[in-house]
mmCIF file of all heavy atoms in Angstrom:
data_model
loop_
_atom_site.group_PDB
_atom_site.id
_atom_site.type_symbol
_atom_site.label_atom_id
_atom_site.label_comp_id
_atom_site.label_asym_id
_atom_site.label_seq_id
_atom_site.Cartn_x
_atom_site.Cartn_y
_atom_site.Cartn_z
ATOM 1 N N CYS A 250 0.815 -1.224 -0.030
ATOM 2 C CA CYS A 250 -0.021 -0.035 0.044
ATOM 3 C C CYS A 250 0.925 1.221 0.001
ATOM 4 O O CYS A 250 1.792 1.364 0.763
ATOM 5 C CB CYS A 250 -0.900 0.012 1.247
ATOM 6 S SG CYS A 250 -2.151 1.249 1.165
ATOM 7 N N SER A 251 0.587 2.187 -0.871
ATOM 8 C CA SER A 251 1.381 3.430 -0.947
ATOM 9 C C SER A 251 1.013 4.414 0.152
ATOM 10 O O SER A 251 1.712 5.474 0.282
ATOM 11 C CB SER A 251 1.121 4.108 -2.323
ATOM 12 O OG SER A 251 -0.156 4.444 -2.529
ATOM 13 N N GLU A 252 -0.001 4.215 0.804
ATOM 14 C CA GLU A 252 -0.411 5.051 1.941
ATOM 15 C C GLU A 252 0.041 4.426 3.299
ATOM 16 O O GLU A 252 0.395 3.271 3.347
ATOM 17 C CB GLU A 252 -1.971 5.232 1.993
ATOM 18 C CG GLU A 252 -2.517 5.905 0.773
ATOM 19 C CD GLU A 252 -3.998 6.012 0.767
ATOM 20 O OE1 GLU A 252 -4.650 5.152 1.267
ATOM 21 O OE2 GLU A 252 -4.559 6.967 0.243
ATOM 22 N N ALA A 253 0.067 5.286 4.323
ATOM 23 C CA ALA A 253 0.411 4.837 5.633
ATOM 24 C C ALA A 253 -0.685 3.919 6.131
ATOM 25 O O ALA A 253 -1.928 4.256 6.103
ATOM 26 C CB ALA A 253 0.667 5.968 6.600
ATOM 27 N N VAL A 254 -0.424 2.717 6.613
ATOM 28 C CA VAL A 254 -1.401 1.770 7.135
ATOM 29 C C VAL A 254 -1.180 1.606 8.689
ATOM 30 O O VAL A 254 -0.144 1.328 9.120
ATOM 31 C CB VAL A 254 -1.251 0.450 6.434
ATOM 32 C CG1 VAL A 254 -2.286 -0.606 6.952
ATOM 33 C CG2 VAL A 254 -1.322 0.466 4.930
ATOM 34 N N PHE A 255 -2.322 1.746 9.367
ATOM 35 C CA PHE A 255 -2.302 1.588 10.801
ATOM 36 C C PHE A 255 -3.370 0.611 11.198
ATOM 37 O O PHE A 255 -4.546 0.659 10.697
ATOM 38 C CB PHE A 255 -2.642 2.914 11.481
ATOM 39 C CG PHE A 255 -1.705 3.942 11.329
ATOM 40 C CD1 PHE A 255 -1.728 4.777 10.185
ATOM 41 C CD2 PHE A 255 -0.691 4.229 12.232
ATOM 42 C CE1 PHE A 255 -0.858 5.830 10.041
ATOM 43 C CE2 PHE A 255 0.167 5.314 12.147
ATOM 44 C CZ PHE A 255 0.094 6.090 11.000
ATOM 45 N N ILE A 256 -3.070 -0.379 12.087
ATOM 46 C CA ILE A 256 -4.041 -1.281 12.672
ATOM 47 C C ILE A 256 -4.271 -0.765 14.079
ATOM 48 O O ILE A 256 -3.365 -0.738 14.887
ATOM 49 C CB ILE A 256 -3.615 -2.766 12.655
ATOM 50 C CG1 ILE A 256 -3.280 -3.183 11.256
ATOM 51 C CG2 ILE A 256 -4.768 -3.666 13.212
ATOM 52 C CD1 ILE A 256 -4.320 -3.231 10.217
ATOM 53 N N LEU A 257 -5.476 -0.302 14.372
ATOM 54 C CA LEU A 257 -5.712 0.469 15.539
ATOM 55 C C LEU A 257 -6.625 -0.345 16.531
ATOM 56 O O LEU A 257 -7.690 -0.826 16.106
ATOM 57 C CB LEU A 257 -6.368 1.818 15.365
ATOM 58 C CG LEU A 257 -5.694 2.696 14.285
ATOM 59 C CD1 LEU A 257 -6.657 3.679 13.714
ATOM 60 C CD2 LEU A 257 -4.518 3.312 14.847
ATOM 61 N N ASP A 258 -6.342 -0.425 17.826
ATOM 62 C CA ASP A 258 -7.194 -0.941 18.803
ATOM 63 C C ASP A 258 -7.500 0.345 19.636
ATOM 64 O O ASP A 258 -6.772 0.533 20.733
ATOM 65 C CB ASP A 258 -6.570 -2.007 19.636
ATOM 66 C CG ASP A 258 -7.338 -2.610 20.787
ATOM 67 O OD1 ASP A 258 -8.467 -2.012 20.967
ATOM 68 O OD2 ASP A 258 -6.881 -3.552 21.393
ATOM 69 N N VAL A 259 -8.497 1.040 19.329
ATOM 70 C CA VAL A 259 -8.792 2.285 20.068
ATOM 71 C C VAL A 259 -9.257 2.098 21.504
ATOM 72 O O VAL A 259 -8.888 2.806 22.339
ATOM 73 C CB VAL A 259 -9.850 3.133 19.280
ATOM 74 C CG1 VAL A 259 -10.190 4.391 19.922
ATOM 75 C CG2 VAL A 259 -9.321 3.411 17.839
ATOM 76 N N GLU A 260 -9.937 1.016 21.679
ATOM 77 C CA GLU A 260 -10.420 0.621 22.997
ATOM 78 C C GLU A 260 -9.156 0.552 24.027
ATOM 79 O O GLU A 260 -9.353 1.009 25.133
ATOM 80 C CB GLU A 260 -11.127 -0.665 22.932
ATOM 81 C CG GLU A 260 -11.733 -1.156 24.253
ATOM 82 C CD GLU A 260 -12.477 -2.432 24.096
ATOM 83 O OE1 GLU A 260 -13.402 -2.521 23.210
ATOM 84 O OE2 GLU A 260 -12.181 -3.411 24.907
ATOM 85 N N ASN A 261 -8.100 -0.008 23.558
ATOM 86 C CA ASN A 261 -6.938 -0.085 24.403
ATOM 87 C C ASN A 261 -5.862 0.909 24.169
ATOM 88 O O ASN A 261 -4.714 0.705 24.551
ATOM 89 C CB ASN A 261 -6.395 -1.592 24.259
ATOM 90 C CG ASN A 261 -7.343 -2.538 24.841
ATOM 91 O OD1 ASN A 261 -7.777 -2.468 25.903
ATOM 92 N ND2 ASN A 261 -7.778 -3.543 23.972
ATOM 93 N N ASP A 262 -6.203 1.927 23.325
ATOM 94 C CA ASP A 262 -5.296 2.997 22.979
ATOM 95 C C ASP A 262 -3.910 2.492 22.419
ATOM 96 O O ASP A 262 -2.847 2.938 22.780
ATOM 97 C CB ASP A 262 -4.973 3.836 24.261
ATOM 98 C CG ASP A 262 -4.315 5.263 23.894
ATOM 99 O OD1 ASP A 262 -4.337 5.695 22.758
ATOM 100 O OD2 ASP A 262 -3.683 5.797 24.817
ATOM 101 N N ALA A 263 -4.075 1.473 21.499
ATOM 102 C CA ALA A 263 -2.897 0.819 20.995
ATOM 103 C C ALA A 263 -2.802 0.694 19.467
ATOM 104 O O ALA A 263 -3.772 0.475 18.863
ATOM 105 C CB ALA A 263 -2.788 -0.614 21.568
ATOM 106 N N LEU A 264 -1.604 0.842 18.964
ATOM 107 C CA LEU A 264 -1.354 0.481 17.599
ATOM 108 C C LEU A 264 -0.838 -0.928 17.551
ATOM 109 O O LEU A 264 0.062 -1.361 18.312
ATOM 110 C CB LEU A 264 -0.196 1.438 17.025
ATOM 111 C CG LEU A 264 -0.549 2.864 16.886
ATOM 112 C CD1 LEU A 264 0.769 3.567 16.577
ATOM 113 C CD2 LEU A 264 -1.527 2.964 15.774
ATOM 114 N N LEU A 265 -1.543 -1.732 16.803
ATOM 115 C CA LEU A 265 -1.213 -3.181 16.750
ATOM 116 C C LEU A 265 -0.162 -3.539 15.638
ATOM 117 O O LEU A 265 0.563 -4.455 15.731
ATOM 118 C CB LEU A 265 -2.545 -3.986 16.557
ATOM 119 C CG LEU A 265 -3.564 -3.894 17.691
ATOM 120 C CD1 LEU A 265 -4.723 -4.703 17.348
ATOM 121 C CD2 LEU A 265 -2.991 -4.236 19.000
ATOM 122 N N ASP A 266 -0.283 -2.794 14.521
ATOM 123 C CA ASP A 266 0.682 -2.915 13.441
ATOM 124 C C ASP A 266 0.674 -1.695 12.613
ATOM 125 O O ASP A 266 -0.356 -0.954 12.528
ATOM 126 C CB ASP A 266 0.311 -4.199 12.603
ATOM 127 C CG ASP A 266 1.527 -4.743 11.858
ATOM 128 O OD1 ASP A 266 2.607 -4.216 11.991
ATOM 129 O OD2 ASP A 266 1.269 -5.755 11.071
ATOM 130 N N VAL A 267 1.754 -1.459 11.905
ATOM 131 C CA VAL A 267 1.891 -0.405 11.001
ATOM 132 C C VAL A 267 2.738 -0.806 9.839
ATOM 133 O O VAL A 267 3.589 -1.641 10.002
ATOM 134 C CB VAL A 267 2.434 0.937 11.622
ATOM 135 C CG1 VAL A 267 1.541 1.505 12.747
ATOM 136 C CG2 VAL A 267 3.889 0.578 12.173
ATOM 137 N N ASN A 268 2.622 -0.126 8.734
ATOM 138 C CA ASN A 268 3.598 -0.392 7.650
ATOM 139 C C ASN A 268 4.795 0.634 7.737
ATOM 140 O O ASN A 268 4.705 1.527 8.589
ATOM 141 C CB ASN A 268 2.937 -0.365 6.231
ATOM 142 C CG ASN A 268 2.438 0.926 5.882
ATOM 143 O OD1 ASN A 268 2.475 1.955 6.503
ATOM 144 N ND2 ASN A 268 1.941 1.017 4.544
ATOM 145 N N ASP A 269 5.762 0.419 7.024
ATOM 146 C CA ASP A 269 6.937 1.299 6.957
ATOM 147 C C ASP A 269 6.603 2.745 6.699
ATOM 148 O O ASP A 269 7.192 3.653 7.287
ATOM 149 C CB ASP A 269 8.016 0.815 6.166
ATOM 150 C CG ASP A 269 8.628 -0.512 6.587
ATOM 151 O OD1 ASP A 269 8.598 -0.793 7.848
ATOM 152 O OD2 ASP A 269 9.220 -1.290 5.732
ATOM 153 N N HIS A 270 5.676 2.922 5.828
ATOM 154 C CA HIS A 270 5.309 4.336 5.401
ATOM 155 C C HIS A 270 4.683 5.066 6.567
ATOM 156 O O HIS A 270 4.812 6.243 6.720
ATOM 157 C CB HIS A 270 4.360 4.255 4.205
ATOM 158 C CG HIS A 270 4.122 5.615 3.560
ATOM 159 N ND1 HIS A 270 5.143 6.388 3.133
ATOM 160 C CD2 HIS A 270 2.970 6.252 3.377
ATOM 161 C CE1 HIS A 270 4.603 7.523 2.660
ATOM 162 N NE2 HIS A 270 3.219 7.500 2.844
ATOM 163 N N ALA A 271 3.843 4.341 7.419
ATOM 164 C CA ALA A 271 3.294 5.034 8.547
ATOM 165 C C ALA A 271 4.366 5.549 9.468
ATOM 166 O O ALA A 271 4.255 6.666 10.024
ATOM 167 C CB ALA A 271 2.402 3.979 9.338
ATOM 168 N N ALA A 272 5.360 4.758 9.707
ATOM 169 C CA ALA A 272 6.433 5.186 10.617
ATOM 170 C C ALA A 272 7.120 6.393 9.945
ATOM 171 O O ALA A 272 7.488 7.405 10.649
ATOM 172 C CB ALA A 272 7.392 4.047 10.861
ATOM 173 N N GLU A 273 7.423 6.258 8.623
ATOM 174 C CA GLU A 273 8.147 7.333 7.974
ATOM 175 C C GLU A 273 7.439 8.674 7.990
ATOM 176 O O GLU A 273 8.064 9.680 8.296
ATOM 177 C CB GLU A 273 8.321 6.910 6.492
ATOM 178 C CG GLU A 273 8.994 7.880 5.568
ATOM 179 C CD GLU A 273 9.005 7.385 4.201
ATOM 180 O OE1 GLU A 273 9.501 6.301 3.995
ATOM 181 O OE2 GLU A 273 8.603 8.155 3.238
ATOM 182 N N ILE A 274 6.139 8.667 7.751
ATOM 183 C CA ILE A 274 5.464 9.951 7.720
ATOM 184 C C ILE A 274 5.369 10.639 9.154
ATOM 185 O O ILE A 274 5.251 11.891 9.273
ATOM 186 C CB ILE A 274 4.061 9.998 7.063
ATOM 187 C CG1 ILE A 274 3.044 9.233 7.963
ATOM 188 C CG2 ILE A 274 4.131 9.515 5.668
ATOM 189 C CD1 ILE A 274 1.613 9.465 7.502
ATOM 190 N N LEU A 275 5.441 9.852 10.104
ATOM 191 C CA LEU A 275 5.303 10.371 11.513
ATOM 192 C C LEU A 275 6.677 10.479 12.182
ATOM 193 O O LEU A 275 6.802 11.069 13.237
ATOM 194 C CB LEU A 275 4.426 9.531 12.377
ATOM 195 C CG LEU A 275 2.891 9.474 12.015
ATOM 196 C CD1 LEU A 275 2.143 8.525 12.870
ATOM 197 C CD2 LEU A 275 2.368 10.770 11.956
ATOM 198 N N GLY A 276 7.754 10.082 11.474
ATOM 199 C CA GLY A 276 9.087 10.330 11.923
ATOM 200 C C GLY A 276 9.596 9.331 13.032
ATOM 201 O O GLY A 276 10.508 9.667 13.718
ATOM 202 N N TYR A 277 8.978 8.236 13.107
ATOM 203 C CA TYR A 277 9.377 7.178 14.042
ATOM 204 C C TYR A 277 9.930 6.008 13.384
ATOM 205 O O TYR A 277 9.750 5.836 12.148
ATOM 206 C CB TYR A 277 8.207 6.571 14.791
ATOM 207 C CG TYR A 277 7.441 7.487 15.808
ATOM 208 C CD1 TYR A 277 6.454 8.388 15.301
ATOM 209 C CD2 TYR A 277 7.857 7.518 17.121
ATOM 210 C CE1 TYR A 277 5.762 9.236 16.287
ATOM 211 C CE2 TYR A 277 7.207 8.349 18.029
ATOM 212 C CZ TYR A 277 6.143 9.142 17.616
ATOM 213 O OH TYR A 277 5.505 10.056 18.505
ATOM 214 N N SER A 278 10.727 5.123 14.007
ATOM 215 C CA SER A 278 11.067 3.857 13.523
ATOM 216 C C SER A 278 9.800 3.013 13.712
ATOM 217 O O SER A 278 8.870 3.374 14.448
ATOM 218 C CB SER A 278 12.281 3.179 14.279
ATOM 219 O OG SER A 278 11.829 2.815 15.536
ATOM 220 N N ARG A 279 9.628 1.977 12.939
ATOM 221 C CA ARG A 279 8.465 1.087 12.990
ATOM 222 C C ARG A 279 8.283 0.603 14.487
ATOM 223 O O ARG A 279 7.274 0.562 15.059
ATOM 224 C CB ARG A 279 8.502 -0.104 12.110
ATOM 225 C CG ARG A 279 7.267 -0.895 12.007
ATOM 226 C CD ARG A 279 7.361 -1.952 10.922
ATOM 227 N NE ARG A 279 6.182 -2.770 10.954
ATOM 228 C CZ ARG A 279 6.015 -3.747 11.814
ATOM 229 N NH1 ARG A 279 6.945 -4.018 12.694
ATOM 230 N NH2 ARG A 279 4.886 -4.483 11.747
ATOM 231 N N GLU A 280 9.364 0.127 15.115
ATOM 232 C CA GLU A 280 9.323 -0.433 16.446
ATOM 233 C C GLU A 280 8.910 0.711 17.477
ATOM 234 O O GLU A 280 8.084 0.422 18.371
ATOM 235 C CB GLU A 280 10.707 -0.890 16.877
ATOM 236 C CG GLU A 280 11.193 -2.185 16.078
ATOM 237 C CD GLU A 280 11.546 -1.880 14.589
ATOM 238 O OE1 GLU A 280 12.023 -0.675 14.298
ATOM 239 O OE2 GLU A 280 11.492 -2.809 13.796
ATOM 240 N N GLU A 281 9.498 1.897 17.288
ATOM 241 C CA GLU A 281 9.077 3.008 18.188
ATOM 242 C C GLU A 281 7.592 3.277 18.019
ATOM 243 O O GLU A 281 6.883 3.509 19.050
ATOM 244 C CB GLU A 281 9.782 4.354 17.796
ATOM 245 C CG GLU A 281 11.258 4.426 18.242
ATOM 246 C CD GLU A 281 11.805 5.685 17.666
ATOM 247 O OE1 GLU A 281 11.636 6.037 16.563
ATOM 248 O OE2 GLU A 281 12.579 6.324 18.490
ATOM 249 N N LEU A 282 7.064 3.343 16.890
ATOM 250 C CA LEU A 282 5.721 3.685 16.642
ATOM 251 C C LEU A 282 4.725 2.648 17.221
ATOM 252 O O LEU A 282 3.752 3.026 17.721
ATOM 253 C CB LEU A 282 5.411 3.877 15.110
ATOM 254 C CG LEU A 282 4.099 4.455 14.691
ATOM 255 C CD1 LEU A 282 3.780 5.768 15.428
ATOM 256 C CD2 LEU A 282 3.952 4.569 13.270
ATOM 257 N N LEU A 283 5.138 1.414 17.197
ATOM 258 C CA LEU A 283 4.321 0.357 17.813
ATOM 259 C C LEU A 283 4.277 0.481 19.332
ATOM 260 O O LEU A 283 3.330 -0.125 19.885
ATOM 261 C CB LEU A 283 4.803 -1.003 17.313
ATOM 262 C CG LEU A 283 4.424 -1.366 15.890
ATOM 263 C CD1 LEU A 283 5.070 -2.598 15.427
ATOM 264 C CD2 LEU A 283 2.996 -1.393 15.568
ATOM 265 N N SER A 284 5.176 1.186 19.843
ATOM 266 C CA SER A 284 5.139 1.338 21.315
ATOM 267 C C SER A 284 4.476 2.653 21.843
ATOM 268 O O SER A 284 4.310 2.934 22.962
ATOM 269 C CB SER A 284 6.623 1.303 21.871
ATOM 270 O OG SER A 284 7.319 2.441 21.514
ATOM 271 N N VAL A 285 4.059 3.522 20.797
ATOM 272 C CA VAL A 285 3.373 4.765 21.065
ATOM 273 C C VAL A 285 1.922 4.582 21.187
ATOM 274 O O VAL A 285 1.314 3.936 20.248
ATOM 275 C CB VAL A 285 3.754 5.745 19.968
ATOM 276 C CG1 VAL A 285 2.928 7.020 20.118
ATOM 277 C CG2 VAL A 285 5.265 6.051 20.004
ATOM 278 N N PRO A 286 1.184 5.069 22.191
ATOM 279 C CA PRO A 286 -0.279 4.966 22.278
ATOM 280 C C PRO A 286 -0.845 5.883 21.135
ATOM 281 O O PRO A 286 -0.349 6.906 20.746
ATOM 282 C CB PRO A 286 -0.587 5.441 23.616
ATOM 283 C CG PRO A 286 0.585 6.174 24.117
ATOM 284 C CD PRO A 286 1.726 5.686 23.479
ATOM 285 N N ILE A 287 -2.100 5.528 20.701
ATOM 286 C CA ILE A 287 -2.777 6.334 19.714
ATOM 287 C C ILE A 287 -2.962 7.692 20.283
ATOM 288 O O ILE A 287 -2.862 8.656 19.518
ATOM 289 C CB ILE A 287 -4.119 5.616 19.429
ATOM 290 C CG1 ILE A 287 -3.950 4.253 18.791
ATOM 291 C CG2 ILE A 287 -4.995 6.559 18.472
ATOM 292 C CD1 ILE A 287 -5.262 3.432 18.776
ATOM 293 N N SER A 288 -3.170 7.829 21.461
ATOM 294 C CA SER A 288 -3.408 9.181 22.111
ATOM 295 C C SER A 288 -2.292 10.126 21.929
ATOM 296 O O SER A 288 -2.390 11.337 22.097
ATOM 297 C CB SER A 288 -3.835 9.097 23.549
ATOM 298 O OG SER A 288 -2.915 8.370 24.269
ATOM 299 N N LYS A 289 -1.081 9.638 21.691
ATOM 300 C CA LYS A 289 0.108 10.433 21.499
ATOM 301 C C LYS A 289 0.112 10.994 20.073
ATOM 302 O O LYS A 289 0.635 12.037 19.759
ATOM 303 C CB LYS A 289 1.382 9.715 21.799
ATOM 304 C CG LYS A 289 2.652 10.573 21.692
ATOM 305 C CD LYS A 289 3.855 9.951 22.205
ATOM 306 C CE LYS A 289 5.032 10.879 22.076
ATOM 307 N NZ LYS A 289 6.247 10.315 22.668
ATOM 308 N N ILE A 290 -0.483 10.180 19.131
ATOM 309 C CA ILE A 290 -0.540 10.588 17.697
ATOM 310 C C ILE A 290 -1.648 11.540 17.477
ATOM 311 O O ILE A 290 -1.577 12.426 16.706
ATOM 312 C CB ILE A 290 -0.644 9.367 16.800
ATOM 313 C CG1 ILE A 290 0.532 8.469 16.911
ATOM 314 C CG2 ILE A 290 -0.885 9.770 15.375
ATOM 315 C CD1 ILE A 290 0.395 7.108 16.358
ATOM 316 N N HIS A 291 -2.757 11.419 18.182
ATOM 317 C CA HIS A 291 -3.904 12.310 18.104
ATOM 318 C C HIS A 291 -4.157 12.910 19.479
ATOM 319 O O HIS A 291 -5.261 12.846 20.077
ATOM 320 C CB HIS A 291 -5.165 11.564 17.764
ATOM 321 C CG HIS A 291 -5.065 10.889 16.332
ATOM 322 N ND1 HIS A 291 -5.334 11.677 15.191
ATOM 323 C CD2 HIS A 291 -4.906 9.722 15.967
ATOM 324 C CE1 HIS A 291 -5.216 10.947 14.199
ATOM 325 N NE2 HIS A 291 -4.886 9.633 14.625
ATOM 326 N N PRO A 292 -3.203 13.630 20.075
ATOM 327 C CA PRO A 292 -3.321 14.103 21.461
ATOM 328 C C PRO A 292 -4.436 15.015 21.784
ATOM 329 O O PRO A 292 -5.038 15.026 22.818
ATOM 330 C CB PRO A 292 -1.947 14.712 21.758
ATOM 331 C CG PRO A 292 -1.431 15.129 20.499
ATOM 332 C CD PRO A 292 -1.899 14.063 19.507
ATOM 333 N N ASP A 293 -4.670 16.002 20.858
ATOM 334 C CA ASP A 293 -5.687 16.963 21.100
ATOM 335 C C ASP A 293 -7.045 16.634 20.535
ATOM 336 O O ASP A 293 -8.050 17.395 20.732
ATOM 337 C CB ASP A 293 -5.212 18.311 20.519
ATOM 338 C CG ASP A 293 -3.874 18.752 21.085
ATOM 339 O OD1 ASP A 293 -3.617 18.569 22.221
ATOM 340 O OD2 ASP A 293 -3.074 19.304 20.281
ATOM 341 N N GLU A 294 -7.144 15.484 19.919
ATOM 342 C CA GLU A 294 -8.310 15.136 19.115
ATOM 343 C C GLU A 294 -8.970 13.812 19.502
ATOM 344 O O GLU A 294 -9.764 13.317 18.738
ATOM 345 C CB GLU A 294 -8.070 15.170 17.625
ATOM 346 C CG GLU A 294 -7.552 16.539 17.116
ATOM 347 C CD GLU A 294 -7.368 16.435 15.622
ATOM 348 O OE1 GLU A 294 -7.155 15.394 15.040
ATOM 349 O OE2 GLU A 294 -7.421 17.551 15.043
ATOM 350 N N MET A 295 -8.515 13.258 20.684
ATOM 351 C CA MET A 295 -9.078 11.905 20.988
ATOM 352 C C MET A 295 -10.561 11.830 20.913
ATOM 353 O O MET A 295 -11.092 10.866 20.452
ATOM 354 C CB MET A 295 -8.411 11.391 22.218
ATOM 355 C CG MET A 295 -7.061 10.895 22.008
ATOM 356 S SD MET A 295 -6.876 9.620 20.677
ATOM 357 C CE MET A 295 -7.610 8.141 21.452
ATOM 358 N N PRO A 296 -11.350 12.813 21.520
ATOM 359 C CA PRO A 296 -12.836 12.647 21.454
ATOM 360 C C PRO A 296 -13.319 12.623 19.970
ATOM 361 O O PRO A 296 -14.135 11.756 19.707
ATOM 362 C CB PRO A 296 -13.284 13.917 22.164
ATOM 363 C CG PRO A 296 -12.138 14.263 23.054
ATOM 364 C CD PRO A 296 -10.987 13.977 22.348
#
């Protein structure tokens, strides 16, 4: 996929998987991004 792909478990505020492009556009390594809660990526917009 040419777009960033995220598998999200919003109930548990967790990223379950991402592709390399997802990490690239957000400036993380893939491993770092998988350890980041969703609320850190959308901090002001969680509701």
Side-chain angles (χ1 to χ4, degrees):
C250 190
S251 62
E252 296 176 328
V254 179
F255 296 82
I256 306 297
L257 310 161
D258 180 353
V259 177
E260 182 179 308
N261 293 307
D262 195 19
L264 291 169
L265 301 177
D266 203 1
V267 297
N268 67 356
D269 291 335
H270 189 57
E273 180 183 306
I274 68 166
L275 294 179
Y277 291 89
S278 71
R279 186 173 176 281
E280 293 74 23
E281 285 176 317
L282 190 54
L283 288 174
S284 69
V285 171
I287 297 167
S288 56
K289 185 169 182 178
I290 297 169
H291 295 282
D293 304 322
E294 299 183 334
M295 281 307 286

